[in-house]
Each structure stands twice: as structure tokens, then as C-alpha cells.
Amino acid sequence: MTTSTPRLTPAPTSALSLSRTTATAARVLRQLRHDPRTIAMMILIPCLMLLLLRYVFDGSPRTFDSIGASLLGIFPLITMFLVTSIATLRERTSGTLERLLAMPLGKGDLIAGYALAFGTLAIIQSALATGLAVWFLGLDVTGSPWLLLLVALLDALLGTALGLFVSAFAASEFQAVQFMPAVIFPQLLLCGLFTPRDNMHPVLETISDVLPMSYAVDGMNEVLRHTDMTATFVRDALIVAGCALLVLGLGAATLRRRTA
């Protein structure tokens, strides 16, 4: 008589559970607590880049004012993208993800838990970078610094969402890093940082209109130029937030248990 080893199958779970999501976020934060280099990269690198940029344009402070606000949103997006994509990939390649999903833990719980954990760090990162730029480096903004902080936070959350999404398609940490030129660099070139988007070739301008980083830069520029919250700023912030939620949903849908 032969016996077969039963296969591990995940227990049925609801679409999303607050308790499972917060438990996942707490586990991720405990792991990050033992990885000071990753924490330093997420929190300090944007501040160091802004500090470096300020003194690169030491003889031309107006140049720093014109691009500093935009980069205040771009730097957190890039760092959160890199760290999140690699951290999620490690969960899969180490087998941790497969063991977690064999428990009463849905893909939505896992993605939401990661977003909550990295979002907590994104708040700290964005607050430090915004405070440094405005109050220590003299970034001259017409609007409220709190609106700058809001857009910086939304950008960091968007970077987290993009990192979670692309990690499903990478087989190694090296491949995860390789997604950066494909996902981040085109947005960086077309977002309006180097030249106004309406000065681009019409085809490139059309492409830039569907890229979320374009609206992040537009939102920062609205704070730079206007004293009050404008309708354009609200539109830009809602688009960035909506893109982050959409990409998180796609990340949950495409999440795989193990690397192929």
C-alpha cells in the first residue's frame, strides 16, 4: 500500500484582512530593524542627494529652487522602488513567500502588509527630505511645505507599489535592479524635469501624459508656484495616488510563490 505526501495548499482566505495585513507589516518592520543598511538607504539617501544637489548649484540657488522640488519627489520614488523590489524578491527566492501563502494569508494581505510597512518608512523618509530641503537647504517654495510632503509621500508609495509589482517578474536581485532602466528612467526623462513636456515631440508628450511621475513633478511645481492648493494640484495628487493603488492591485494579482 502506497501513501502519498499531502501537498501544502493555502487555507481559504477573504480578499483582505486588517489583522493579517498588520501582522505582515509588523513582520517586515521587525526584519528591517535588523538590516540597518537598508534602513539607511531608504531614509538617508534622498537627503544626501538633495544635500549634494544644493551645493552642486551653490552659485545658482535659483536652479536648485527650480528643480529641487521635483527631485524631492523623484528621489524617494527611486529608492523605495529599489528596496521594495529586492526585499520582496528575497521573500520568494528564500521560500518564505511560499510558506506564508500556505498559511491563512492571501496575496492581497501580503502586498498590503508590505505597502503598509514600507509606507511607514516612506513617511519618515519624506518628512526628513522635505524638512531638510525647505528649512535647512533654503528651498524657496511659494506654497505650503506640507503639500510638498504630501506629494513626496505619494511618490514614495508609488515607488513601493512599482517595486512590489516588478518583483514578480524578476528571477534574481540583479534582474530586479535591471528593471529600473525600463520602469524608472523613461519616466525620469519624460516627466518634465529637464524640459517642459509641451516642448517635447508630440508622441513623447502623449506618452508622458500617461506616466505617473509626470503628475508627481507637476504637483511639486504647483506648490512651487502657487500659494494655495490649486485644482491642478488636487488632480495630480489623485492621479499619483490612484496609480499607486492600481499598481498595488496588479502586484497582488501577479504575485508568485516562488521564482521560476
Side-chain angles (χ1 to χ4, degrees), residues 193-205:
L193 177 65
F194 302 103
T195 185
R197 291 193 290 130
D198 53 10
N199 289 347
M200 298 178 185
H201 188 280
V203 173
L204 296 181
E205 184 183 359

Side-chain angles (χ1 to χ4, degrees), residues 11-248:
T13 59
S14 58
L16 197 63
S17 164
L18 179 60
S19 61
R20 292 193 295 263
T21 297
T22 53
T24 301
R27 181 185 63 82
V28 173
L29 289 173
R30 285 195 301 269
Q31 289 179 332
L32 288 173
R33 187 179 61 184
H34 301 292
D35 190 354
R37 287 177 296 182
T38 298
I39 293 177
M41 178 179 177
M42 284 189 290
I43 294 178
L44 298 180
I45 291 298
C47 294
L48 292 175
M49 292 297 100
L50 285 169
L51 184 65
L52 177 63
L53 185 71
R54 168 62 183 83
Y55 290 104
V56 165
F57 296 110
D58 190 42
S60 179
R62 288 189 178 181
T63 303
F64 177 70
D65 290 337
S66 65
I67 66 173
S70 299
L71 292 175
L72 186 59
I74 292 174
F75 285 156
L77 189 154
I78 293 174
T79 55
M80 295 304 292
F81 172 85
L82 282 173
V83 172
T84 306
S85 60
I86 292 173
T88 309
L89 183 65
R90 285 179 181 175
E91 292 276 67
R92 198 169 70 244
T93 55
S94 66
T96 302
L97 185 59
E98 185 174 12
R99 293 192 296 270
L100 287 172
L101 291 179
M103 300 166 61
L105 180 70
K107 293 181 178 181
D109 299 318
L110 189 72
I111 292 294
Y114 264 87
L116 181 59
F118 285 107
T120 301
L121 293 173
I123 293 173
I124 301 172
Q125 177 198 71
S126 301
L128 287 175
T130 303
L132 175 70
V134 174
W135 288 297
F136 290 92
L137 300 181
L139 179 66
D140 186 16
V141 293
T142 303
S144 171
W146 294 106
L147 296 180
L148 281 183
L149 175 60
L150 174 62
V151 180
L153 176 58
L154 291 175
D155 291 343
L157 293 176
L158 176 61
T160 298
L162 289 170
L164 290 169
F165 176 64
V166 303
S167 68
F169 304 98
S172 66
E173 294 180 13
F174 180 66
Q175 285 187 7
V177 174
Q178 285 180 313
F179 274 105
M180 185 173 171
V183 176
I184 300 297
F185 285 0
Q187 296 192 66
L188 188 61
L189 293 174
L190 299 177
C191 69
L193 177 65
F194 302 103
T195 185
R197 291 193 290 130
D198 53 10
N199 289 347
M200 298 178 185
H201 188 280
V203 173
L204 296 181
E205 184 183 359
T206 301
I207 295 173
S208 74
D209 287 341
V210 299
L211 298 177
M213 192 182 291
S214 299
Y215 297 95
V217 170
D218 287 349
M220 288 295 193
N221 287 332
E222 286 294 303
V223 181
L224 196 66
R225 299 166 185 163
H226 300 89
T227 55
D228 299 322
M229 183 186 300
T230 65
T232 302
F233 173 85
V234 174
R235 180 208 65 183
D236 294 337
L238 289 176
I239 289 175
V240 175
C243 288
L245 291 175
L246 175 62
V247 176
L248 283 175

